[in-house]
Amino acid sequence: MHRLAERNAYMGELLAGRLPREAYGLYLRNLQALYHALERELSWLSRDLPTAHWILPSIFRAGNLAADLDHLVGSRWPALPVSATITAYNARIATVAKESPHRLAAHAYVRYLGDLSGGQVIRGVVRRAYDLGDGPGAAFYDFDGAGDPEALKDLLRSGLDAYGEAVGPERAAQIADEAVDAFDRHRALFDELRGAEADA
């Protein structure tokens, strides 16, 4: 995710601390919608799939994003528009959960490993750019209650690797294909948000 962000103009603005606060709030709103959909399905999957040790509820982000939005945008944040890209992405997650739930591992890989890696760099940028200091507003990037980000990253990666072996080569290949699709959807989101910023 960090490399993807570096190559995208919209996320480049965020990494440089130049993304307007309103645009950042819209970005978080879209991520909150995505995580809400993903984590709802992961919660169900963890009950039905004993081999899914890569599902770590301690690193779920939807609640943290809601807290950030409360601080940065206020109580009106649920009324912020969810992009067409995220609407389609969430529909994909619902379809995958119903028809081929092993593919959800790809979305966990793309999102959570990115949050535990590049997200830790973005946290400092966000705190400086939006004058957050050490206070609220950057809970999305905060894993202090769950553990050390590097240790969590290793735990998640090892769980996903073990899961790929458990489901067999055909399904493992499907997970890899799904991850490529997830990265493409993130690129589309960044492009859509950049277009919305330009029109504002």
Side-chain angles (χ1 to χ4, degrees):
M1 281 297 295
H2 187 51
R3 286 194 298 272
L4 172 60
E6 287 177 332
R7 295 171 184 169
N8 181 273
Y10 182 87
M11 290 302 290
E13 291 293 297
L14 175 57
L15 286 167
R18 294 193 298 263
L19 193 68
R21 189 183 182 103
E22 295 78 9
Y24 180 64
L26 185 59
Y27 169 61
L28 293 189
R29 174 64 184 107
N30 277 269
L31 287 187
Q32 199 279 335
L34 172 58
Y35 278 99
H36 178 75
L38 176 59
E39 290 168 359
R40 179 182 56 211
E41 301 300 348
L42 291 179
S43 294
W44 283 108
L45 183 61
S46 66
R47 300 185 184 104
D48 300 334
L49 197 60
T51 56
H53 302 304
W54 47 270
I55 299 176
L56 306 174
S58 64
I59 65 172
F60 282 6
R61 300 287 91 192
N64 294 52
L65 282 160
D68 287 347
L69 284 160
D70 281 337
H71 180 76
L72 293 163
V73 179
S75 60
R76 67 182 178 86
W77 72 260
L80 292 177
V82 175
S83 70
T85 301
I86 290 297
T87 299
Y89 198 159
N90 289 351
R92 174 61 185 172
I93 286 172
T95 298
V96 162
K98 182 178 180 181
E99 298 178 357
S100 50
H102 59 280
R103 289 177 179 260
L104 289 175
H107 300 284
Y109 168 83
V110 169
R111 280 300 344 161
Y112 298 116
L113 281 180
D115 299 334
L116 290 163
S117 299
Q120 300 308 292
V121 175
I122 297 174
R123 175 171 59 176
V125 174
V126 164
R127 287 199 172 279
R128 290 189 299 273
Y130 307 116
D131 297 320
L132 300 178
D134 294 327
F140 174 46
Y141 311 102
D142 183 5
F143 291 88
D144 291 346
D148 175 69
E150 286 300 319
L152 289 169
K153 189 164 54 173
D154 290 343
L155 181 63
L156 178 60
R157 186 181 287 113
S158 63
L160 287 166
D161 288 344
Y163 184 64
E165 293 179 6
V167 298
E170 181 177 351
R171 287 189 172 184
Q174 292 172 352
I175 292 170
D177 289 343
E178 191 74 18
V180 172
D181 179 73
F183 276 114
D184 287 342
R185 291 177 188 273
H186 280 83
R187 291 189 189 94
L189 171 64
F190 299 152
D191 289 343
E192 185 174 352
L193 290 177
R194 183 168 175 78
E197 183 189 3
D199 294 338

